[in-house]
Amino acid sequence: ALSEAWTVQKGGTSNKGEALKKSVYTAATTSAGGLLARYAKDGHLYSAQQFQQYYGDAWLVEWLESPQEKRVANDGKEYSAQEFQKYYGGNAASYWNQASEAPQRRMAEDGQTYTIQEFIAYYKGDWQTKFDKATFVADECAGLNHEACDGLPQN
């Protein structure tokens, strides 16, 4: 998406810096069919356009430092908007809108496993740093027997 946006933007201006800024913005707002959203410092999901409106010139740094939204697909696994787009193609938006928000479980430095919403609630203003440093939990049932796993909250 970025290379396509760059090709369009660089033809319309002699200022390459401005063309690059516009290209990055266009790529972020249109990639994955415009479904991309990230968790801002306040713990809410926002689009690239909303990040740009709120953070101004610093939007890209904030955008890149913020975790991506993921949703739970029909197979019960968590996927980003780009992954939905790649798999479902032109139908991605429909499947994305029907899917529930993924819990995005990670193990924090205290050894406890938290969802992204629990990181936000527990770590407050430092949640993004703690979430970024935490270990991704690929399968919360790994190492557990069937009865123990059945007792865990489901996506």
Side-chain angles (χ1 to χ4, degrees), residues 10-109:
K10 74 176 181 177
T13 181
S14 60
N15 183 334
K16 290 184 180 178
E18 193 60 35
L20 181 58
K21 283 169 97 174
K22 289 180 180 179
S23 298
V24 169
Y25 178 75
T26 299
T29 57
T30 61
S31 183
L35 300 174
L36 292 180
R38 291 182 181 249
Y39 292 90
K41 290 177 182 175
D42 67 0
H44 293 96
L45 285 166
Y46 297 100
S47 68
Q49 182 179 19
Q50 291 168 316
F51 264 75
Q52 197 273 338
Q53 289 170 347
Y54 185 79
Y55 291 108
D57 288 341
W59 82 271
L60 186 57
V61 172
E62 295 294 334
W63 177 258
L64 295 174
E65 291 179 353
S66 300
Q68 286 189 55
E69 176 185 24
K70 292 187 176 185
R71 302 255 178 124
V72 179
N74 293 338
D75 64 1
K77 296 180 183 176
E78 300 178 359
Y79 298 99
S80 67
Q82 296 99 323
E83 292 166 325
F84 263 73
Q85 184 72 32
K86 184 177 179 179
Y87 185 78
Y88 292 113
N91 296 322
S94 175
Y95 284 99
W96 181 260
N97 291 331
Q98 293 173 30
S100 61
E101 183 180 337
Q104 299 195 50
R105 289 183 178 85
R106 294 198 180 183
M107 184 180 296
E109 54 195 26

Side-chain angles (χ1 to χ4, degrees), residues 108-121:
E109 54 195 26
D110 65 3
Q112 298 296 311
T113 301
Y114 300 101
T115 65
I116 196 166
Q117 294 302 325
E118 290 167 335
F119 266 91
I120 293 164

